[in-house]
Amino acid sequence: MRLLVTGGAGFIGANHVHRLVAAGHAVTVYDALTYSGNPANLTGPAEGDDYRFVHGDVRDGAALAEAMRGHDAVFHLAAESHVDRSIDSVKPFVKTNVDGTRVLLECVRDSEAGGHSVAFVHVSTDEVYG
């Protein structure tokens, strides 16, 4: 399967990516590399046919749709998840966690309207779910 993992450079996302690649899936990581995304977490998979990295923000629908093209499923792990930061400034959390998820769901919907079915799996933490 061809799989897109948003937030794949984060701790949980990178561990999931390593397992998916080891299982023989072609994986694209889509990550904005903010405070929780670290490219060093993805040490191991080499850029090639079965793995690629795309630096992008889940709020950018055009870039996300391009990265998603041809994938069978999306694992959505991109999120702002630090409680103390959310208390200090809620806007980045709403923009990424709510609006970013909406943009991603619209890309899945639009892909399906184009005749390609894409599975959507949302993975998150209690901090994101509220």
Side-chain angles (χ1 to χ4, degrees):
M1 290 186 77
R2 292 193 65 210
L3 308 171
L4 178 75
V5 180
T6 67
F11 177 76
I12 295 170
N15 281 286
H16 187 55
V17 167
H18 286 291
R19 286 199 166 102
L20 293 172
V21 170
H25 297 288
V27 177
T28 299
V29 171
Y30 188 89
D31 200 297
L33 297 177
T34 61
Y35 59 87
S36 61
N38 183 351
N41 290 338
L42 295 167
T43 301
E47 289 278 335
D49 294 335
D50 290 339
Y51 171 79
R52 73 182 180 119
F53 178 85
V54 176
H55 184 238
D57 191 311
V58 292
R59 297 169 297 171
D60 183 346
L64 190 54
E66 177 64 30
M68 186 185 302
R69 186 170 289 124
H71 287 78
D72 303 301
V74 175
F75 288 91
H76 178 39
L77 289 90
E80 304 287 341
S81 64
H82 290 263
V83 174
D84 291 344
R85 289 178 189 239
S86 72
I87 293 167
D88 292 337
S89 180
V90 71
K91 285 182 185 179
F93 288 76
V94 171
K95 287 179 181 178
T96 299
N97 300 352
V98 177
D99 199 41
T101 300
R102 176 195 56 80
V103 170
L104 182 53
L105 286 168
E106 287 175 350
C107 288
V108 169
R109 180 199 61 207
D110 294 346
S111 179
E112 291 181 348
H116 183 75
S117 181
V118 178
F120 179 84
V121 179
H122 187 202
V123 179
S124 198
T125 69
D126 61 334
E127 296 166 338
V128 172
Y129 288 133

